[in-house]
Amino acid sequence: MRILNALSVCTSILLVAGTALLGGCASHPRLVAEVENAALSGDGVSIRFLTAGRDKPEPTIVLVHGFGGDASIWEEQIHHLAMDHRVVALDLPGHGKSGSDRMGDWTMQAFGDDVRAVCEEMGAARVILVGHSMGCPAVIEAARLMPDRVVSLVLVEPPHHDVEGKMSEDVIKQVLADWKADYKGNVERMAHERLFIPTSDEKIVQSVVQRMLTVQPFIARAMIASLFRYDFARAMEEVHVPMHFINSSALGPTDVAALERHSKHVDLQVIDGVGHFPMLEAPAKFDAALDAAIAGQVMPLKGVE
């Protein structure tokens, strides 16, 4: 892997938490320095990432967004976590400031290798990987590539609350055809009908929609196809570290039995009154759940009534 040191911009930006973030406000006033860096993926794509809390001990907390997101969805969490941890938040290729010139397929496996590349660039010996939505399979794949480096996984709102859920090929083909015919319309419908709830702040909804619309449609369709075909349950079985799930109750129940069938070290926290983006809609509640997951202070599912 080649390392892109030339793009280590080192733009130390002093950010005061407490400023408005996507219609929500940071929950703790503080001052955190962020540094912008870049690495190259195994296939030569530029991966932009932010770091904070560089003087803090490991494990390093690595934050990985989902489809159509970028590092900025974690802005509140970067500030919060950097008080005690070294933190990394990246833009997956095809998103944000990272490159879109991938020559291979836009798969979950490729995203996992992108996360690995950033961890290597950081020189992180021990990491806790936090994935949101599509970022969940990305961090699972990264953990499979770095079994000696990953301490645990935090999986926030994976694409299905039933990890055994699968979509038929006919449905996948129809979804991809619909997205090809009307990308903007389908993104907007998905956001309003599947990602948020009626009480969600429309400013947050629109900020998410606008981010998703920056993804090139052909890349979006390729990512979605890989995501829909991803065998989440089987992948869980191949990762032997604790898995901490954080889900929204408003988007349907989590199949707890399915989680237990595919991991011996799994726990679940549920946040009420939010949609698919709890880090944006209820940052204080989400930060508390994330802290508990990182610290391993959540009671395992086995034996819980």
Side-chain angles (χ1 to χ4, degrees), residues 205-271:
V205 177
Q206 288 305 315
S207 72
V208 168
V209 168
Q210 292 309 310
R211 275 183 176 80
M212 290 181 172
L213 291 177
T214 66
V215 180
Q216 296 182 50
F218 82 93
I219 295 176
R221 293 195 301 274
M223 290 188 294
I224 291 297
S226 177
L227 179 62
F228 286 171
R229 294 181 175 118
Y230 188 75
D231 192 336
F232 204 103
R234 181 177 179 181
M236 284 179 63
E237 293 176 354
E238 297 179 6
V239 176
H240 307 292
V241 297
M243 298 186 187
H244 310 287
F245 284 78
I246 303 176
N247 285 347
S248 161
S249 64
L251 296 180
T254 298
D255 189 333
V256 173
L259 295 181
E260 292 179 320
R261 280 193 289 272
H262 300 286
S263 176
K264 296 179 180 179
H265 310 283
V266 64
D267 57 58
L268 169 69
Q269 297 179 83
V270 175
I271 300 179

Short mmCIF file of all heavy atoms in Angstrom, two decimals, residues 205-271:
data_model
loop_
_atom_site.label_atom_id
_atom_site.label_comp_id
_atom_site.label_asym_id
_atom_site.label_seq_id
_atom_site.Cartn_x
_atom_site.Cartn_y
_atom_site.Cartn_z
N VAL A 205 -33.05 15.84 8.32
CA VAL A 205 -33.43 14.99 7.19
C VAL A 205 -32.84 15.54 5.90
O VAL A 205 -32.21 14.81 5.11
CB VAL A 205 -34.96 14.88 7.07
CG1 VAL A 205 -35.34 14.06 5.83
CG2 VAL A 205 -35.58 14.28 8.32
N GLN A 206 -33.01 16.82 5.66
CA GLN A 206 -32.53 17.41 4.42
C GLN A 206 -31.01 17.42 4.34
O GLN A 206 -30.44 17.28 3.25
CB GLN A 206 -33.08 18.83 4.26
CG GLN A 206 -34.55 18.87 3.93
CD GLN A 206 -34.88 18.06 2.69
OE1 GLN A 206 -34.18 18.13 1.67
NE2 GLN A 206 -35.96 17.28 2.75
N SER A 207 -30.34 17.59 5.48
CA SER A 207 -28.87 17.56 5.46
C SER A 207 -28.37 16.18 5.05
O SER A 207 -27.39 16.06 4.31
CB SER A 207 -28.31 17.96 6.83
OG SER A 207 -28.52 16.94 7.79
N VAL A 208 -29.06 15.15 5.51
CA VAL A 208 -28.69 13.78 5.13
C VAL A 208 -28.97 13.55 3.65
O VAL A 208 -28.15 12.99 2.92
CB VAL A 208 -29.43 12.76 6.01
CG1 VAL A 208 -29.30 11.35 5.44
CG2 VAL A 208 -28.91 12.81 7.44
N VAL A 209 -30.13 13.99 3.18
CA VAL A 209 -30.48 13.84 1.77
C VAL A 209 -29.44 14.52 0.88
O VAL A 209 -28.98 13.94 -0.12
CB VAL A 209 -31.88 14.41 1.49
CG1 VAL A 209 -32.14 14.52 -0.02
CG2 VAL A 209 -32.96 13.54 2.13
N GLN A 210 -29.07 15.74 1.23
CA GLN A 210 -28.11 16.48 0.41
C GLN A 210 -26.76 15.78 0.37
O GLN A 210 -26.09 15.76 -0.67
CB GLN A 210 -27.97 17.91 0.92
CG GLN A 210 -29.22 18.75 0.74
CD GLN A 210 -29.74 18.71 -0.69
OE1 GLN A 210 -28.99 18.92 -1.66
NE2 GLN A 210 -31.03 18.43 -0.85
N ARG A 211 -26.33 15.19 1.47
CA ARG A 211 -25.08 14.43 1.46
C ARG A 211 -25.20 13.23 0.50
O ARG A 211 -24.30 12.96 -0.28
CB ARG A 211 -24.76 13.90 2.87
CG ARG A 211 -24.03 14.87 3.77
CD ARG A 211 -23.72 14.17 5.08
NE ARG A 211 -22.95 15.00 5.97
CZ ARG A 211 -23.46 15.96 6.73
NH1 ARG A 211 -24.75 16.21 6.69
NH2 ARG A 211 -22.67 16.68 7.53
N MET A 212 -26.31 12.51 0.60
CA MET A 212 -26.49 11.32 -0.24
C MET A 212 -26.48 11.69 -1.72
O MET A 212 -25.97 10.93 -2.55
CB MET A 212 -27.79 10.61 0.13
CG MET A 212 -27.75 9.94 1.49
SD MET A 212 -29.30 9.09 1.87
CE MET A 212 -28.83 8.22 3.37
N LEU A 213 -27.02 12.83 -2.05
CA LEU A 213 -27.10 13.23 -3.45
C LEU A 213 -25.76 13.64 -4.03
O LEU A 213 -25.64 13.80 -5.25
CB LEU A 213 -28.12 14.37 -3.62
CG LEU A 213 -29.58 13.97 -3.38
CD1 LEU A 213 -30.49 15.19 -3.49
CD2 LEU A 213 -30.03 12.88 -4.34
N THR A 214 -24.73 13.80 -3.18
CA THR A 214 -23.40 14.10 -3.70
C THR A 214 -22.69 12.85 -4.20
O THR A 214 -21.67 12.95 -4.90
CB THR A 214 -22.53 14.77 -2.62
OG1 THR A 214 -22.28 13.85 -1.55
CG2 THR A 214 -23.19 16.03 -2.08
N VAL A 215 -23.20 11.66 -3.84
CA VAL A 215 -22.60 10.42 -4.32
C VAL A 215 -23.00 10.21 -5.78
O VAL A 215 -24.17 10.35 -6.14
CB VAL A 215 -23.06 9.22 -3.47
CG1 VAL A 215 -22.43 7.92 -3.99
CG2 VAL A 215 -22.70 9.43 -2.01
N GLN A 216 -22.02 9.88 -6.62
CA GLN A 216 -22.34 9.65 -8.02
C GLN A 216 -23.30 8.47 -8.14
O GLN A 216 -23.08 7.42 -7.54
CB GLN A 216 -21.06 9.37 -8.81
CG GLN A 216 -20.09 10.54 -8.83
CD GLN A 216 -18.86 10.23 -9.65
OE1 GLN A 216 -18.95 9.77 -10.79
NE2 GLN A 216 -17.68 10.49 -9.08
N PRO A 217 -24.38 8.62 -8.92
CA PRO A 217 -25.41 7.57 -8.96
C PRO A 217 -24.90 6.19 -9.30
O PRO A 217 -25.36 5.19 -8.72
CB PRO A 217 -26.39 8.11 -10.03
CG PRO A 217 -26.26 9.59 -9.92
CD PRO A 217 -24.80 9.84 -9.65
N PHE A 218 -23.95 6.07 -10.23
CA PHE A 218 -23.49 4.72 -10.59
C PHE A 218 -22.72 4.09 -9.44
O PHE A 218 -22.77 2.87 -9.23
CB PHE A 218 -22.64 4.75 -11.87
CG PHE A 218 -21.20 5.13 -11.68
CD1 PHE A 218 -20.23 4.15 -11.50
CD2 PHE A 218 -20.81 6.47 -11.66
CE1 PHE A 218 -18.89 4.49 -11.33
CE2 PHE A 218 -19.48 6.82 -11.49
CZ PHE A 218 -18.51 5.82 -11.31
N ILE A 219 -22.01 4.92 -8.66
CA ILE A 219 -21.31 4.41 -7.48
C ILE A 219 -22.33 4.01 -6.42
O ILE A 219 -22.21 2.97 -5.77
CB ILE A 219 -20.32 5.45 -6.93
CG1 ILE A 219 -19.20 5.70 -7.94
CG2 ILE A 219 -19.75 5.01 -5.58
CD1 ILE A 219 -18.23 6.79 -7.52
N ALA A 220 -23.35 4.84 -6.25
CA ALA A 220 -24.39 4.54 -5.26
C ALA A 220 -25.05 3.20 -5.56
O ALA A 220 -25.25 2.38 -4.66
CB ALA A 220 -25.43 5.66 -5.25
N ARG A 221 -25.38 2.96 -6.82
CA ARG A 221 -26.04 1.69 -7.17
C ARG A 221 -25.13 0.49 -6.92
O ARG A 221 -25.57 -0.55 -6.43
CB ARG A 221 -26.50 1.72 -8.63
CG ARG A 221 -27.60 2.73 -8.91
CD ARG A 221 -28.26 2.47 -10.26
NE ARG A 221 -27.30 2.54 -11.37
CZ ARG A 221 -26.96 3.66 -12.00
NH1 ARG A 221 -27.49 4.82 -11.61
NH2 ARG A 221 -26.12 3.64 -13.01
N ALA A 222 -23.85 0.65 -7.21
CA ALA A 222 -22.91 -0.46 -6.98
C ALA A 222 -22.77 -0.75 -5.49
O ALA A 222 -22.73 -1.92 -5.07
CB ALA A 222 -21.54 -0.11 -7.58
N MET A 223 -22.70 0.30 -4.67
CA MET A 223 -22.59 0.11 -3.22
C MET A 223 -23.85 -0.55 -2.68
O MET A 223 -23.77 -1.47 -1.85
CB MET A 223 -22.36 1.46 -2.52
CG MET A 223 -21.01 2.07 -2.77
SD MET A 223 -20.71 3.52 -1.75
CE MET A 223 -21.93 4.66 -2.39
N ILE A 224 -25.00 -0.08 -3.11
CA ILE A 224 -26.26 -0.63 -2.63
C ILE A 224 -26.40 -2.10 -3.02
O ILE A 224 -26.86 -2.94 -2.22
CB ILE A 224 -27.44 0.19 -3.19
CG1 ILE A 224 -27.46 1.59 -2.57
CG2 ILE A 224 -28.77 -0.52 -2.92
CD1 ILE A 224 -27.66 1.61 -1.07
N ALA A 225 -25.98 -2.44 -4.22
CA ALA A 225 -26.06 -3.83 -4.66
C ALA A 225 -25.20 -4.73 -3.77
O ALA A 225 -25.64 -5.81 -3.34
CB ALA A 225 -25.60 -3.95 -6.11
N SER A 226 -23.98 -4.28 -3.47
CA SER A 226 -23.11 -5.07 -2.59
C SER A 226 -23.68 -5.15 -1.18
O SER A 226 -23.65 -6.22 -0.55
CB SER A 226 -21.71 -4.45 -2.55
OG SER A 226 -20.87 -5.15 -1.65
N LEU A 227 -24.23 -4.04 -0.70
CA LEU A 227 -24.80 -4.02 0.64
C LEU A 227 -25.98 -4.98 0.76
O LEU A 227 -26.10 -5.74 1.73
CB LEU A 227 -25.25 -2.60 0.99
CG LEU A 227 -25.90 -2.38 2.35
CD1 LEU A 227 -24.93 -2.73 3.47
CD2 LEU A 227 -26.40 -0.95 2.48
N PHE A 228 -26.87 -4.97 -0.23
CA PHE A 228 -28.05 -5.83 -0.19
C PHE A 228 -27.69 -7.31 -0.27
O PHE A 228 -28.43 -8.16 0.22
CB PHE A 228 -29.00 -5.47 -1.33
CG PHE A 228 -29.76 -4.18 -1.13
CD1 PHE A 228 -30.51 -3.64 -2.16
CD2 PHE A 228 -29.72 -3.51 0.08
CE1 PHE A 228 -31.21 -2.45 -1.99
CE2 PHE A 228 -30.41 -2.32 0.27
CZ PHE A 228 -31.16 -1.79 -0.77
N ARG A 229 -26.57 -7.61 -0.90
CA ARG A 229 -26.16 -9.02 -1.06
C ARG A 229 -25.24 -9.49 0.07
O ARG A 229 -24.85 -10.65 0.10
CB ARG A 229 -25.48 -9.20 -2.41
CG ARG A 229 -26.42 -8.98 -3.60
CD ARG A 229 -25.71 -9.20 -4.91
NE ARG A 229 -26.66 -9.09 -6.04
CZ ARG A 229 -26.56 -8.18 -7.01
NH1 ARG A 229 -25.54 -7.33 -7.03
NH2 ARG A 229 -27.47 -8.15 -7.97
N TYR A 230 -24.89 -8.61 0.96
CA TYR A 230 -23.92 -8.93 2.01
C TYR A 230 -24.53 -9.90 3.02
O TYR A 230 -25.64 -9.70 3.51
CB TYR A 230 -23.49 -7.65 2.72
CG TYR A 230 -22.36 -7.83 3.70
CD1 TYR A 230 -21.06 -8.01 3.26
CD2 TYR A 230 -22.59 -7.81 5.08
CE1 TYR A 230 -20.01 -8.16 4.15
CE2 TYR A 230 -21.54 -7.96 5.98
CZ TYR A 230 -20.26 -8.14 5.50
OH TYR A 230 -19.22 -8.29 6.39
N ASP A 231 -23.79 -10.95 3.36
CA ASP A 231 -24.24 -11.95 4.32
C ASP A 231 -23.77 -11.53 5.72
O ASP A 231 -22.71 -11.94 6.18
CB ASP A 231 -23.70 -13.33 3.95
CG ASP A 231 -24.35 -14.46 4.74
OD1 ASP A 231 -24.87 -14.20 5.84
OD2 ASP A 231 -24.33 -15.61 4.26
N PHE A 232 -24.56 -10.71 6.36
CA PHE A 232 -24.19 -10.11 7.64
C PHE A 232 -23.99 -11.18 8.72
O PHE A 232 -23.01 -11.15 9.47
CB PHE A 232 -25.27 -9.13 8.07
CG PHE A 232 -24.82 -8.05 9.01
CD1 PHE A 232 -24.60 -6.76 8.56
CD2 PHE A 232 -24.61 -8.32 10.35
CE1 PHE A 232 -24.18 -5.76 9.42
CE2 PHE A 232 -24.19 -7.33 11.23
CZ PHE A 232 -23.97 -6.05 10.76
N ALA A 233 -24.91 -12.12 8.78
CA ALA A 233 -24.85 -13.14 9.83
C ALA A 233 -23.60 -13.99 9.70
O ALA A 233 -22.91 -14.26 10.69
CB ALA A 233 -26.11 -14.01 9.77
N ARG A 234 -23.31 -14.43 8.49
CA ARG A 234 -22.12 -15.26 8.30
C ARG A 234 -20.85 -14.47 8.63
O ARG A 234 -19.93 -15.02 9.25
CB ARG A 234 -22.06 -15.75 6.85
CG ARG A 234 -20.85 -16.64 6.57
CD ARG A 234 -20.88 -17.15 5.14
NE ARG A 234 -19.71 -17.97 4.86
CZ ARG A 234 -19.47 -18.54 3.68
NH1 ARG A 234 -20.33 -18.39 2.69
NH2 ARG A 234 -18.38 -19.25 3.49
N ALA A 235 -20.81 -13.21 8.24
CA ALA A 235 -19.64 -12.39 8.54
C ALA A 235 -19.44 -12.22 10.05
O ALA A 235 -18.31 -12.23 10.54
CB ALA A 235 -19.78 -11.02 7.87
N MET A 236 -20.54 -12.07 10.79
CA MET A 236 -20.45 -11.96 12.24
C MET A 236 -19.75 -13.17 12.84
O MET A 236 -18.94 -13.05 13.76
CB MET A 236 -21.84 -11.83 12.86
CG MET A 236 -22.48 -10.47 12.72
SD MET A 236 -24.14 -10.44 13.49
CE MET A 236 -23.75 -10.77 15.23
N GLU A 237 -20.05 -14.34 12.31
CA GLU A 237 -19.48 -15.58 12.84
C GLU A 237 -17.97 -15.65 12.66
O GLU A 237 -17.29 -16.39 13.37
CB GLU A 237 -20.14 -16.78 12.17
CG GLU A 237 -21.62 -16.93 12.51
CD GLU A 237 -22.28 -18.06 11.76
OE1 GLU A 237 -21.60 -18.65 10.88
OE2 GLU A 237 -23.46 -18.35 12.03
N GLU A 238 -17.45 -14.88 11.71
CA GLU A 238 -16.03 -14.94 11.40
C GLU A 238 -15.23 -13.87 12.14
O GLU A 238 -14.02 -13.73 11.91
CB GLU A 238 -15.82 -14.83 9.89
CG GLU A 238 -16.46 -16.00 9.14
CD GLU A 238 -16.29 -15.90 7.63
OE1 GLU A 238 -15.59 -14.98 7.18
OE2 GLU A 238 -16.86 -16.75 6.92
N VAL A 239 -15.88 -13.11 13.00
CA VAL A 239 -15.21 -12.09 13.80
C VAL A 239 -15.35 -12.46 15.27
O VAL A 239 -16.48 -12.62 15.76
CB VAL A 239 -15.81 -10.69 13.54
CG1 VAL A 239 -15.16 -9.66 14.44
CG2 VAL A 239 -15.62 -10.30 12.07
N HIS A 240 -14.25 -12.60 15.96
CA HIS A 240 -14.28 -13.14 17.31
C HIS A 240 -13.90 -12.10 18.36
O HIS A 240 -13.07 -12.33 19.23
CB HIS A 240 -13.35 -14.36 17.38
CG HIS A 240 -13.64 -15.38 16.33
ND1 HIS A 240 -14.81 -16.12 16.33
CD2 HIS A 240 -12.94 -15.76 15.23
CE1 HIS A 240 -14.81 -16.93 15.27
NE2 HIS A 240 -13.69 -16.72 14.60
N VAL A 241 -14.52 -10.94 18.25
CA VAL A 241 -14.37 -9.88 19.25
C VAL A 241 -15.77 -9.45 19.69
O VAL A 241 -16.75 -9.71 18.99
CB VAL A 241 -13.58 -8.68 18.69
CG1 VAL A 241 -12.16 -9.08 18.31
CG2 VAL A 241 -14.31 -8.04 17.51
N PRO A 242 -15.89 -8.78 20.83
CA PRO A 242 -17.22 -8.29 21.26
C PRO A 242 -17.85 -7.37 20.21
O PRO A 242 -17.17 -6.54 19.61
CB PRO A 242 -16.90 -7.54 22.55
CG PRO A 242 -15.66 -8.17 23.07
CD PRO A 242 -14.86 -8.52 21.85
N MET A 243 -19.15 -7.55 20.03
CA MET A 243 -19.92 -6.71 19.11
C MET A 243 -21.01 -6.01 19.90
O MET A 243 -21.85 -6.66 20.52
CB MET A 243 -20.54 -7.55 17.99
CG MET A 243 -19.53 -8.24 17.12
SD MET A 243 -20.33 -9.08 15.71
CE MET A 243 -18.92 -9.95 15.03
N HIS A 244 -20.98 -4.69 19.86
CA HIS A 244 -21.93 -3.88 20.62
C HIS A 244 -22.88 -3.19 19.63
O HIS A 244 -22.45 -2.33 18.86
CB HIS A 244 -21.19 -2.83 21.45
CG HIS A 244 -20.07 -3.39 22.28
ND1 HIS A 244 -20.28 -4.14 23.41
CD2 HIS A 244 -18.73 -3.29 22.12
CE1 HIS A 244 -19.11 -4.48 23.93
NE2 HIS A 244 -18.15 -3.99 23.17
N PHE A 245 -24.14 -3.57 19.64
CA PHE A 245 -25.13 -2.98 18.73
C PHE A 245 -25.84 -1.81 19.41
O PHE A 245 -26.20 -1.89 20.59
CB PHE A 245 -26.16 -4.03 18.32
CG PHE A 245 -25.66 -5.00 17.29
CD1 PHE A 245 -24.83 -6.06 17.65
CD2 PHE A 245 -26.01 -4.87 15.96
CE1 PHE A 245 -24.37 -6.96 16.72
CE2 PHE A 245 -25.56 -5.77 15.01
CZ PHE A 245 -24.73 -6.81 15.38
N ILE A 246 -26.07 -0.74 18.65
CA ILE A 246 -26.88 0.40 19.10
C ILE A 246 -27.94 0.64 18.03
O ILE A 246 -27.61 1.03 16.90
CB ILE A 246 -26.03 1.67 19.31
CG1 ILE A 246 -24.91 1.41 20.31
CG2 ILE A 246 -26.92 2.82 19.78
CD1 ILE A 246 -23.96 2.61 20.49
N ASN A 247 -29.20 0.40 18.35
CA ASN A 247 -30.29 0.51 17.39
C ASN A 247 -31.37 1.48 17.87
O ASN A 247 -31.48 1.78 19.05
CB ASN A 247 -30.93 -0.86 17.13
CG ASN A 247 -30.06 -1.75 16.25
OD1 ASN A 247 -29.10 -1.28 15.64
ND2 ASN A 247 -30.41 -3.02 16.19
N SER A 248 -32.17 1.92 16.90
CA SER A 248 -33.34 2.74 17.19
C SER A 248 -34.56 1.85 17.39
O SER A 248 -34.81 0.94 16.59
CB SER A 248 -33.60 3.71 16.04
OG SER A 248 -34.92 4.21 16.07
N SER A 249 -35.32 2.11 18.45
CA SER A 249 -36.53 1.32 18.67
C SER A 249 -37.64 1.70 17.69
O SER A 249 -38.50 0.88 17.36
CB SER A 249 -37.03 1.51 20.10
OG SER A 249 -37.41 2.86 20.33
N ALA A 250 -37.62 2.94 17.20
CA ALA A 250 -38.72 3.43 16.36
C ALA A 250 -38.72 2.81 14.97
O ALA A 250 -39.74 2.88 14.27
CB ALA A 250 -38.64 4.96 16.25
N LEU A 251 -37.61 2.22 14.56
CA LEU A 251 -37.52 1.65 13.22
C LEU A 251 -37.76 0.15 13.21
O LEU A 251 -37.45 -0.54 12.25
CB LEU A 251 -36.17 1.98 12.58
CG LEU A 251 -35.92 3.47 12.35
CD1 LEU A 251 -34.55 3.69 11.71
CD2 LEU A 251 -37.01 4.10 11.49
N GLY A 252 -38.31 -0.35 14.31
CA GLY A 252 -38.64 -1.77 14.38
C GLY A 252 -37.80 -2.50 15.40
O GLY A 252 -36.72 -2.04 15.79
N PRO A 253 -38.28 -3.65 15.85
CA PRO A 253 -37.56 -4.41 16.88
C PRO A 253 -36.30 -5.06 16.32
O PRO A 253 -36.22 -5.36 15.13
CB PRO A 253 -38.58 -5.47 17.30
CG PRO A 253 -39.44 -5.66 16.09
CD PRO A 253 -39.54 -4.31 15.43
N THR A 254 -35.34 -5.26 17.19
CA THR A 254 -34.11 -5.98 16.83
C THR A 254 -34.32 -7.47 17.12
O THR A 254 -34.81 -7.83 18.18
CB THR A 254 -32.92 -5.46 17.63
OG1 THR A 254 -32.71 -4.07 17.32
CG2 THR A 254 -31.65 -6.24 17.30
N ASP A 255 -33.94 -8.31 16.17
CA ASP A 255 -34.03 -9.76 16.38
C ASP A 255 -32.86 -10.18 17.26
O ASP A 255 -31.77 -10.49 16.77
CB ASP A 255 -34.00 -10.49 15.04
CG ASP A 255 -34.32 -11.97 15.19
OD1 ASP A 255 -34.06 -12.53 16.27
OD2 ASP A 255 -34.81 -12.57 14.22
N VAL A 256 -33.09 -10.17 18.57
CA VAL A 256 -32.05 -10.48 19.54
C VAL A 256 -31.58 -11.93 19.39
O VAL A 256 -30.38 -12.23 19.48
CB VAL A 256 -32.55 -10.21 20.96
CG1 VAL A 256 -31.55 -10.69 22.00
CG2 VAL A 256 -32.83 -8.72 21.15
N ALA A 257 -32.52 -12.84 19.15
CA ALA A 257 -32.16 -14.25 19.01
C ALA A 257 -31.19 -14.45 17.84
O ALA A 257 -30.26 -15.27 17.93
CB ALA A 257 -33.41 -15.09 18.83
N ALA A 258 -31.39 -13.70 16.77
CA ALA A 258 -30.50 -13.82 15.62
C ALA A 258 -29.09 -13.34 15.98
O ALA A 258 -28.10 -13.94 15.56
CB ALA A 258 -31.05 -13.03 14.44
N LEU A 259 -29.00 -12.26 16.74
CA LEU A 259 -27.69 -11.79 17.18
C LEU A 259 -26.98 -12.87 17.98
O LEU A 259 -25.79 -13.14 17.78
CB LEU A 259 -27.82 -10.52 18.04
CG LEU A 259 -28.36 -9.26 17.37
CD1 LEU A 259 -28.40 -8.12 18.38
CD2 LEU A 259 -27.53 -8.88 16.16
N GLU A 260 -27.71 -13.49 18.89
CA GLU A 260 -27.12 -14.53 19.75
C GLU A 260 -26.69 -15.75 18.96
O GLU A 260 -25.73 -16.43 19.34
CB GLU A 260 -28.13 -14.93 20.83
CG GLU A 260 -28.40 -13.84 21.86
CD GLU A 260 -29.43 -14.29 22.89
OE1 GLU A 260 -30.40 -14.96 22.50
OE2 GLU A 260 -29.24 -13.98 24.07
N ARG A 261 -27.39 -16.04 17.87
CA ARG A 261 -27.04 -17.22 17.08
C ARG A 261 -25.70 -17.05 16.36
O ARG A 261 -25.06 -18.05 16.01
CB ARG A 261 -28.14 -17.53 16.06
CG ARG A 261 -29.33 -18.26 16.63
CD ARG A 261 -30.23 -18.81 15.54
NE ARG A 261 -30.95 -17.77 14.83
CZ ARG A 261 -32.14 -17.29 15.21
NH1 ARG A 261 -32.73 -17.75 16.31
NH2 ARG A 261 -32.75 -16.35 14.51
N HIS A 262 -25.29 -15.82 16.13
CA HIS A 262 -24.13 -15.60 15.28
C HIS A 262 -22.95 -14.94 15.98
O HIS A 262 -21.94 -14.66 15.34
CB HIS A 262 -24.55 -14.78 14.06
CG HIS A 262 -25.59 -15.46 13.24
ND1 HIS A 262 -25.32 -16.55 12.43
CD2 HIS A 262 -26.94 -15.26 13.15
CE1 HIS A 262 -26.44 -16.96 11.87
NE2 HIS A 262 -27.43 -16.20 12.28
N SER A 263 -23.06 -14.69 17.27
CA SER A 263 -21.93 -14.16 18.03
C SER A 263 -22.04 -14.58 19.48
O SER A 263 -23.12 -14.53 20.07
CB SER A 263 -21.88 -12.63 17.95
OG SER A 263 -20.84 -12.13 18.75
N LYS A 264 -20.91 -14.99 20.05
CA LYS A 264 -20.89 -15.37 21.46
C LYS A 264 -20.66 -14.16 22.36
O LYS A 264 -20.80 -14.25 23.58
CB LYS A 264 -19.77 -16.39 21.70
CG LYS A 264 -19.98 -17.72 20.99
CD LYS A 264 -18.84 -18.67 21.26
CE LYS A 264 -19.03 -20.00 20.55
NZ LYS A 264 -17.90 -20.92 20.79
N HIS A 265 -20.30 -13.02 21.75
CA HIS A 265 -19.96 -11.83 22.53
C HIS A 265 -20.72 -10.63 21.95
O HIS A 265 -20.16 -9.84 21.20
CB HIS A 265 -18.46 -11.57 22.49
CG HIS A 265 -17.62 -12.76 22.81
ND1 HIS A 265 -17.44 -13.21 24.10
CD2 HIS A 265 -16.93 -13.61 22.01
CE1 HIS A 265 -16.65 -14.28 24.08
NE2 HIS A 265 -16.34 -14.54 22.84
N VAL A 266 -22.01 -10.56 22.26
CA VAL A 266 -22.84 -9.52 21.65
C VAL A 266 -23.73 -8.89 22.70
O VAL A 266 -24.20 -9.55 23.64
CB VAL A 266 -23.69 -10.13 20.49
CG1 VAL A 266 -24.66 -11.17 21.02
CG2 VAL A 266 -24.42 -9.05 19.72
N ASP A 267 -23.95 -7.58 22.57
CA ASP A 267 -24.91 -6.90 23.42
C ASP A 267 -25.64 -5.84 22.60
O ASP A 267 -25.26 -5.55 21.46
CB ASP A 267 -24.24 -6.29 24.66
CG ASP A 267 -23.11 -5.33 24.32
OD1 ASP A 267 -23.37 -4.35 23.62
OD2 ASP A 267 -21.97 -5.56 24.78
N LEU A 268 -26.69 -5.30 23.17
CA LEU A 268 -27.57 -4.38 22.45
C LEU A 268 -28.02 -3.26 23.35
O LEU A 268 -28.41 -3.49 24.50
CB LEU A 268 -28.80 -5.14 21.92
CG LEU A 268 -29.96 -4.29 21.37
CD1 LEU A 268 -29.55 -3.61 20.07
CD2 LEU A 268 -31.20 -5.16 21.16
N GLN A 269 -27.94 -2.03 22.82
CA GLN A 269 -28.58 -0.87 23.46
C GLN A 269 -29.58 -0.29 22.46
O GLN A 269 -29.31 -0.25 21.26
CB GLN A 269 -27.55 0.19 23.82
CG GLN A 269 -26.52 -0.27 24.86
CD GLN A 269 -25.53 0.81 25.16
OE1 GLN A 269 -25.78 1.72 25.98
NE2 GLN A 269 -24.37 0.76 24.51
N VAL A 270 -30.71 0.15 22.97
CA VAL A 270 -31.77 0.70 22.12
C VAL A 270 -32.03 2.14 22.53
O VAL A 270 -32.14 2.46 23.72
CB VAL A 270 -33.06 -0.13 22.25
CG1 VAL A 270 -34.20 0.52 21.47
CG2 VAL A 270 -32.83 -1.55 21.75
N ILE A 271 -32.11 3.02 21.54
CA ILE A 271 -32.40 4.43 21.77
C ILE A 271 -33.80 4.73 21.25
O ILE A 271 -34.12 4.41 20.10
CB ILE A 271 -31.36 5.33 21.09
CG1 ILE A 271 -29.96 5.04 21.65
CG2 ILE A 271 -31.71 6.81 21.29
CD1 ILE A 271 -28.85 5.86 21.02
#
